Amino acid sequence: MGIRFDSVTVAYDGNVVLDALDLRVEPGEVMALLGPSGSGKTTALRAVAGFVRPASGRVFLGDRDVTDLPPHRRGIGMVVQSYALFPHMRVQDNVAFGLKARRVAKAEIGPRVAEALEMTGMAGYARRYPRELSGGQQQRVAIARALAIRPDVLLLDEPLSALDARLRSGMLAELARLHRELPEVSILYVTHDQVEALTLADRIAVMDQARLKDCGTPQELYRTPRTEFTASFVGNANLLPVTVGDGGVSFAGGMLKVDTGGAAPGARATLCVRPHLVGLGSGPNQLTGTVAEIQWRGSTHRLYVDVDGHRIMADLRELKEPPVHGRPVTLHFAPEDATLLTAGVSGDG
Ligand SMILES: Nc1ncnc2c1ncn2[C@@H]1O[C@H](COP(=O)(O)OP(=O)(O)OP(=O)(O)O)[C@@H](O)[C@H]1O
Ligand SMILES: [Mg+2]
């Protein structure tokens, strides 16, 4: 079932922490809410769940306006960062909790709990207490508890942030599998980890300072970000301050050929070039500078090059002879690998 935010504003003591959010999650879609700490991600989730009341705007699940409904009548499963399992209850009772609260028939509770534990790979742990489980296992139980009520919508608030890196990547794959098994459930997934967002989401909504900054597929946001904020938050980016010219831009005293997309000549803009699309040696768009730093990162070398006071990053693969620190070096990039950003350029607030 889809989720729709219709100009949802949330304020605490007159402080707006979610500013007129318009966002639609399609039925069966995984939408990641990505943004820095304090940007309003959890608040948006709580507005859907019914734990916070919007100052204005409406929340829809499918075509039902749920803004005035209490949380337990919204058909939502929610998983929060800190598991929030009941410590004195066995796994099976934790998972049954939402079913009992919803007065599901006794005879149905057992099979539903078994099904949810099966889906999360926790069938063998039904009689354990939370303290007898690892962090990853506790999180699976929390997910099982959310799934047991057969929600139309699943809200996940940084569900993996308490896990170490290896467990996290395993759980990511598990979540992707769960989504394939429940293709009709819409998922709103809060994270500040771009890898999670890029891996799991059909679309990513980028939030900053209570506002939605950008929304698109991971590929769109990565390849053609609209704002500096998105460019730097979704992947790494070189952001060059440029001035729009005729058929290109001027930067550091030279001209670079790029698609200016109809930007007005003379306008200030930012050119986004991904570090892995910067090559070594001469080519179409050349930048000459001095090697400021070089880092070996296993599969790539990360080169920092100072070009006319601007530091450019280049991620280079399979370098037989890496450039030498302090020496001049020439970099290049293809015109089609650069994106000109005219919105949200530094300085226009
Ligand atoms: N109950 C509350 N009372 C007052 N202010 C609150 C309350 N809950 C959240 N806030 C404020 O609202 C803003 C947004 O908080 P929110 O929890 O939505 O951020 P977030 O994007 O989820 O951040 P994080 O990544 O750190 O979890 C913050 O400035 C926070 O201090
Ligand atoms: Mg949060």
Side-chain angles (χ1 to χ4, degrees), residues 12 17 36-43 158 192:
Y12 290 109
V17 300
S37 188
S39 54
K41 307 180 299 294
T42 295
T43 302
E158 313 230 14
H192 53 238

Side-chain angles (χ1 to χ4, degrees), residues 103-117:
R103 301 186 193 289
V104 170
K106 267 218 173 85
E108 210 187 318
I109 290 180
R112 295 262 294 261
V113 168
E115 175 193 70
L117 288 176

Side-chain angles (χ1 to χ4, degrees), residues 75-109:
I76 278 173
M78 185 159 174
V79 177
V80 297
Q81 173 176 353
S82 54
Y83 322 141
L85 297 177
F86 302 112
H88 59 286
M89 285 187 192
R90 293 180 194 275
V91 164
Q92 60 194 21
D93 299 315
N94 265 286
V95 176
F97 186 82
L99 298 171
K100 287 181 182 154
R102 284 170 178 75
R103 301 186 193 289
V104 170
K106 267 218 173 85
E108 210 187 318
I109 290 180

Side-chain angles (χ1 to χ4, degrees), residues 11-331:
Y12 290 109
D13 307 321
N15 256 340
V16 172
V17 300
L18 192 64
D19 194 357
L21 176 65
D22 280 310
L23 185 67
R24 187 190 275 266
V25 185
E26 301 298 335
E29 188 177 37
V30 182
M31 174 78 80
L33 277 183
L34 181 69
S37 188
S39 54
K41 307 180 299 294
T42 295
T43 302
L45 221 61
R46 291 172 64 83
V48 177
F51 297 123
V52 63
R53 228 202 112 84
S56 61
R58 313 299 298 178
V59 177
F60 293 84
L61 295 178
D63 37 25
R64 202 163 51 120
D65 181 342
V66 298
T67 320
D68 300 319
L69 283 187
H72 66 275
R73 292 192 45 212
R74 297 189 180 198
I76 278 173
M78 185 159 174
V79 177
V80 297
Q81 173 176 353
S82 54
Y83 322 141
L85 297 177
F86 302 112
H88 59 286
M89 285 187 192
R90 293 180 194 275
V91 164
Q92 60 194 21
D93 299 315
N94 265 286
V95 176
F97 186 82
L99 298 171
K100 287 181 182 154
R102 284 170 178 75
R103 301 186 193 289
V104 170
K106 267 218 173 85
E108 210 187 318
I109 290 180
R112 295 262 294 261
V113 168
E115 175 193 70
L117 288 176
E118 189 68 46
M119 288 189 81
T120 50
M122 290 299 289
Y125 299 82
R127 298 190 55 76
R128 294 239 193 136
Y129 286 94
R131 64 171 179 275
E132 298 167 336
L133 301 175
S134 72
Q137 291 166 340
Q138 290 182 48
Q139 196 56 312
R140 283 163 198 266
V141 174
I143 293 168
R145 184 173 59 182
L147 291 178
I149 64 160
R150 293 189 182 148
D152 300 316
V153 164
L154 195 55
L155 305 177
L156 301 170
D157 192 354
E158 313 230 14
L160 309 184
S161 60
L163 308 179
D164 70 43
R166 266 201 34 212
L167 255 181
R168 209 179 305 158
S169 92
M171 282 299 287
L172 259 185
E174 290 271 310
L175 286 174
R177 176 186 59 77
L178 271 178
H179 182 54
R180 285 195 297 275
E181 285 178 20
L182 302 165
E184 68 290 348
V185 175
S186 301
I187 299 180
L188 194 53
Y189 187 99
V190 167
T191 178
H192 53 238
D193 181 313
Q194 52 162 293
V195 175
E196 286 178 20
L198 291 171
T199 310
L200 210 58
D202 296 308
R203 283 190 299 154
I204 300 175
V206 182
M207 310 258 314
D208 187 34
Q209 296 180 5
R211 295 227 171 135
L212 179 67
K213 286 279 162 169
D214 224 333
C215 184
T217 67
Q219 290 82 358
E220 280 164 2
L221 295 187
Y222 188 80
R223 297 209 182 109
T224 51
R226 287 190 312 110
T227 64
E228 281 184 25
F229 184 80
T230 301
S232 56
F233 213 80
V234 182
N236 295 307
N238 290 300
L239 297 171
L240 316 181
V242 297
T243 306
V244 178
D246 194 12
V249 296
S250 65
F251 171 71
M255 277 302 283
L256 299 170
K257 231 177 110 172
V258 298
D259 182 0
T260 57
R268 290 201 305 147
T270 301
L271 193 67
C272 169
V273 188
R274 300 294 183 183
H276 73 279
L277 298 173
V278 177
L280 193 60
S282 48
N285 283 325
Q286 255 171 237
L287 299 166
T288 299
T290 311
V291 178
E293 207 178 319
I294 180 157
Q295 299 170 344
W296 183 65
R297 299 190 167 190
S299 59
T300 58
H301 281 86
R302 161 69 62 89
L303 216 63
Y304 294 88
V305 176
D306 284 339
V307 177
D308 199 36
H310 303 279
R311 187 152 288 191
I312 312 282
M313 298 179 283
D315 288 336
L316 303 164
R317 292 186 150 270
E318 289 163 31
L319 273 188
K320 297 257 151 44
E321 285 177 56
V324 179
H325 185 264
R327 291 287 182 80
V329 69
T330 298
L331 304 171

